[in-house]
Amino acid sequence: MDTPEAAAGITRRRALTVAGGVVAGASLAAHAFPAFGAESQAADAIVVGHGLAGLVATAELAAAGRKVLLLDQEPEASIGGQAFWSFGGLFFVNSDEQRLMGVKDTYDLAWQDWQGTAGFDRGIDDPAGQDYWAHKWAKAYVEFASGEKRSWLAGLGVQWFPIVGWAERGGGLATGHGNSVPRFHVTWGTGPAVVEPFEKKVRAAVDAGKVTFRFRHRVDEIVTTGGVVTGVRGAILEPSSAARGKPSSRTVVGDFELRAPVVVVTSGGIGANHDLVRRNWPARMGTPPKSMVTGVPAHVDGRMLAITEKAGGRIVNPDRMWHYTEGLRNYDPIWPGHGIRILPGPSSMWFDARGKRFDAPDIPGYDTLHTLKTIADSGYDYSWFVTTQKIIAKEFALSGSEQNPDLTNKNVWQLLSRIWQTPEPIEKFKNKGEDFVVATTLTDLVAGMNKLTGTSLIDLADLKRQIEARDREIDNAYTKDVQVMGIRNALNYTGDSLSRTASIHRILDSGAGPLIAVRLNVLTRKTLGGLQTDLSGRVLDSSGNPVPGLYAAGEVAGFGGGGVHGYRSLEGTFLGGCLFSGRQAGRAAAAATAT
């Protein structure tokens, strides 16, 4: 996919790397490397971060015969990073699964949706623009998702649940935000099954002597010599037996310096660092929430962004981020402030903290970013679903591999049980989660909602008026209520009618009860901006030139180019962005270190 100019850039960069190595050899010879010296100098590449992008990049480097040091500040238990905890959703275009569901999809339609969603407006035609490379990455990624992405992963043994989900439906015009058709493919085995083939490749490379893990190695500096990256240095943290996702010790027991002609940064985003989230919160989105739940483990701290910037890398679009509006406080947390997202179907009624119903496009599953701004503008940090047992039984799914044991464990019988019963994880949250209110009457429901928040913000008469008005709209097959239109549209899609949309009914129908109110918190998740990279994954400096020897992939690079999604995501594109950008960077770094 590299242009001739990019290839020439690699050649020039390789020459600089060799020249830099001569200078580095003289200046670093005096340094002591007690435990790692000879080995570190023999490495062809250092990869910082053992999440999905890091595993993919390492696998590509090793497949090309390169020797790689794979570093991470976390213990071995956390290999796979945030991808392991994910639902495993992947964005494909014109897939076998879509055709099975009767969905007609094309590259042109997907590219139309991506552009309308991304809203690139920061210099896509200007090489100095923040969106210049992001736009190129986006086009390349949609081509990838329309082409070899599925066959490449299928060749590695990855499989998908046959019913395709319909996320981010937009609710506007054809050229605006949202997926025109269902494209959210849930991996059979969820996030762990996406990580597995690449972890296996890397572990096989370890056995073959091509890869060496450096767990508990926290990078504090990317070393440059004469403007050329020559390695990394940092702190060795004490051994930790922390389970996956649990916070690990930050006690330093030593330091290290490792050398290689190439460093690939794949360290993830900022989602666990609420201070950094608020610092980068865009004014266009209103005041940042004072209270948020956390959708990623504590080690997703954003440290490597500033460290890479200090080494010459350019950060672009730092104000673009992707946080969810349907967060629950986990009654059984794994990491601090652990939040779980509801992936809702279209039927729950959505209200602000005062009980005012949201207007379009602030409908469950339609426009995450718009709804986030609506909540921020309300002056409160939370909102409400008012729904029924019948709706949550069919329409509620929870993000996270651990919240979907049927899919994660590939248990067909347990999966089929969703047909006749509410999934057990949903019932547990309903019964144990602090954000749920369950009642048989609307009077009791409102009393419970106000008790939960310690306020009297919800007025019974006003809430009843709005629910009854909505309920009157379902008596005919046509309506002026946009949400009711959306429910009927969903039921017209086989995949939704089978698994994700309850038959349309009155919220106040006692036969659909009990009534349920769910307090929804803002949940931190993804960084959409980051290190600007060209299509080879080379990190660019403020002048738009590659920093010799420096690459980045995954969330730290905005999933490609410093912001492949623009302002919004079509969903199923975060894991895919790690896969694609990790592969690009790994292959390019391997080519750059060829002898």
Side-chain angles (χ1 to χ4, degrees):
M1 189 172 291
D2 290 340
T3 63
E5 292 80 10
I10 290 175
T11 302
R12 289 193 297 271
R13 202 242 16 218
R14 178 58 183 158
L16 285 170
T17 299
V18 173
V22 174
V23 176
S27 64
L28 294 176
H31 282 262
F33 299 99
F36 317 108
E39 184 178 70
S40 69
Q41 294 177 63
D44 298 307
I46 294 169
V47 177
V48 183
H50 63 205
L52 181 59
L55 290 173
V56 174
T58 300
E60 292 291 341
L61 282 157
R66 307 296 175 264
K67 289 189 175 181
V68 187
L69 297 174
L70 179 52
L71 281 59
D72 201 285
Q73 65 182 346
E74 293 305 298
E76 184 172 4
S78 287
I79 284 180
Q82 179 57 24
F84 180 92
W85 297 105
S86 74
F87 197 33
L90 291 170
F91 175 98
F92 295 126
V93 178
N94 192 28
S95 68
D96 294 349
E97 292 76 17
Q98 285 177 302
R99 291 191 291 273
L100 178 66
M101 290 287 101
V103 175
K104 298 178 181 180
D105 199 7
T106 64
Y107 164 81
D108 288 337
L109 184 61
W111 182 229
Q112 170 183 300
D113 287 347
W114 195 288
Q115 292 180 94
T117 296
F120 294 120
D121 60 2
R122 295 175 176 173
I124 63 172
D125 297 318
D126 178 4
Q130 294 187 76
D131 280 339
Y132 180 76
W133 285 105
H135 182 264
K136 292 182 180 297
W137 270 94
K139 188 172 179 60
Y141 180 73
V142 176
E143 291 171 352
F144 176 61
S146 305
E148 66 171 311
K149 178 182 176 184
R150 188 186 181 282
S151 60
W152 175 56
L153 291 171
L156 296 173
V158 183
Q159 298 176 305
W160 297 275
F161 185 60
I163 297 178
V164 184
W166 195 354
E168 289 296 301
R169 305 180 189 211
L173 301 178
T175 53
H177 167 64
N179 284 295
S180 297
V181 298
R183 297 190 176 106
F184 190 82
H185 297 66
V186 177
T187 302
W188 186 233
T190 66
V194 179
V195 172
E196 182 181 17
F198 302 99
E199 182 180 347
K200 283 183 176 179
K201 283 177 174 287
V202 171
R203 290 194 182 278
V206 170
D207 293 340
K210 294 296 184 183
V211 174
T212 302
F213 283 122
R214 294 290 191 205
F215 304 113
R216 307 297 284 156
H217 278 54
R218 185 187 70 199
V219 172
D220 297 325
E221 180 184 355
I222 294 173
V223 180
T224 60
T225 306
V228 177
V229 168
T230 52
V232 297
R233 63 170 63 103
I236 301 172
L237 306 179
E238 69 177 350
S240 172
S241 60
R244 181 185 293 275
K246 292 284 188 181
S248 62
S249 167
R250 289 295 178 261
T251 300
V252 174
V253 296
D255 53 37
F256 69 91
E257 183 164 344
L258 301 169
R259 290 181 286 164
V262 160
V263 172
V264 185
V265 180
T266 59
S267 55
I270 68 173
N273 188 336
H274 289 198
D275 290 340
L276 201 52
V277 168
R278 293 189 180 95
R279 195 181 312 155
N280 288 290
W281 193 274
R284 66 181 177 275
M285 293 300 296
T287 304
K290 294 179 181 177
S291 174
M292 297 181 284
V293 293
T294 308
V296 293
H299 62 257
V300 185
D301 53 19
R303 292 181 67 258
M304 285 303 300
L305 281 162
I307 290 168
T308 311
E309 185 179 35
K310 187 175 180 181
R314 182 191 185 195
I315 295 174
V316 295
N317 303 310
D319 61 325
R320 293 179 183 170
M321 53 188 75
W322 190 255
H323 305 305
Y324 290 111
T325 52
E326 313 98 333
L328 304 174
R329 290 176 174 83
N330 195 341
Y331 66 89
D332 186 19
I334 296 171
W335 53 79
H338 190 173
I340 295 293
R341 184 203 173 198
I342 297 172
L343 285 72
S347 301
S348 297
M349 296 185 71
W350 207 338
F351 299 88
D352 70 14
R354 292 184 176 274
K356 179 183 177 182
R357 188 184 179 193
F358 288 157
D359 200 352
D362 302 326
I363 298 168
Y366 276 67
D367 192 333
T368 293
L369 205 66
H370 191 283
T371 308
L372 181 60
K373 183 180 188 305
T374 300
I375 293 169
D377 289 346
S378 75
Y380 294 87
D381 296 342
Y382 66 93
S383 59
W384 291 100
F385 275 169
V386 174
T387 188
T388 67
Q389 182 69 33
K390 184 175 181 179
I391 290 171
I392 75 163
K394 193 164 187 180
E395 296 194 8
F396 276 26
L398 299 175
S399 64
S401 53
E402 82 284 8
Q403 299 298 331
N404 295 275
D406 48 357
L407 289 164
T408 301
N409 298 326
K410 303 181 181 181
N411 187 321
V412 175
W413 175 252
Q414 194 175 13
L415 179 65
L416 290 174
S417 71
R418 293 190 185 210
I419 296 172
W420 63 82
Q421 67 180 11
T422 306
E424 184 180 6
I426 300 291
E427 278 296 301
K428 284 185 175 180
F429 264 91
K430 189 186 80 173
N431 296 326
K432 298 180 180 182
E434 64 178 275
D435 295 306
F436 281 76
V437 179
V438 182
T440 55
T441 69
L442 188 60
T443 300
D444 289 344
L445 189 76
V446 169
M449 293 165 75
N450 286 331
K451 181 179 180 182
L452 180 60
T453 59
T455 69
S456 56
L457 291 174
I458 308 295
D459 179 78
L460 172 61
D462 190 47
L463 192 70
K464 182 179 180 183
R465 174 188 62 79
Q466 295 175 85
I467 295 174
E468 287 180 339
R470 176 268 185 203
D471 281 357
R472 292 187 191 101
E473 294 290 321
I474 68 169
D475 289 341
N476 296 288
Y478 41 87
T479 178
K480 71 175 184 180
D481 189 287
V482 173
Q483 184 175 12
V484 176
M485 290 181 193
I487 296 169
R488 296 195 187 284
N489 190 37
L491 289 170
N492 200 40
Y493 165 51
T494 302
D496 273 350
S497 64
L498 285 173
S499 67
R500 290 290 285 145
T501 306
S503 59
I504 196 164
H505 61 276
R506 293 173 179 260
I507 297 293
L508 296 180
D509 178 359
S510 60
L515 290 167
I516 300 166
V518 188
R519 180 179 59 185
L520 305 172
N521 309 276
V522 175
L523 177 133
T524 63
R525 186 59 67 85
K526 296 299 180 186
T527 311
L528 297 190
L531 298 167
Q532 191 172 43
T533 58
D534 66 10
L535 286 175
S536 294
R538 297 181 299 177
V539 176
L540 306 178
D541 64 18
S542 58
S543 299
N545 298 312
V547 178
L550 187 57
Y551 293 74
E555 191 173 352
V556 75
F559 301 95
V564 68
H565 297 94
Y567 287 94
R568 288 180 171 88
S569 166
L570 286 173
E571 289 288 20
T573 55
F574 300 127
L575 292 178
C578 290
L579 293 166
F580 185 54
S581 63
R583 192 176 80 157
Q584 289 291 99
R587 291 182 177 181
T593 51
T595 55

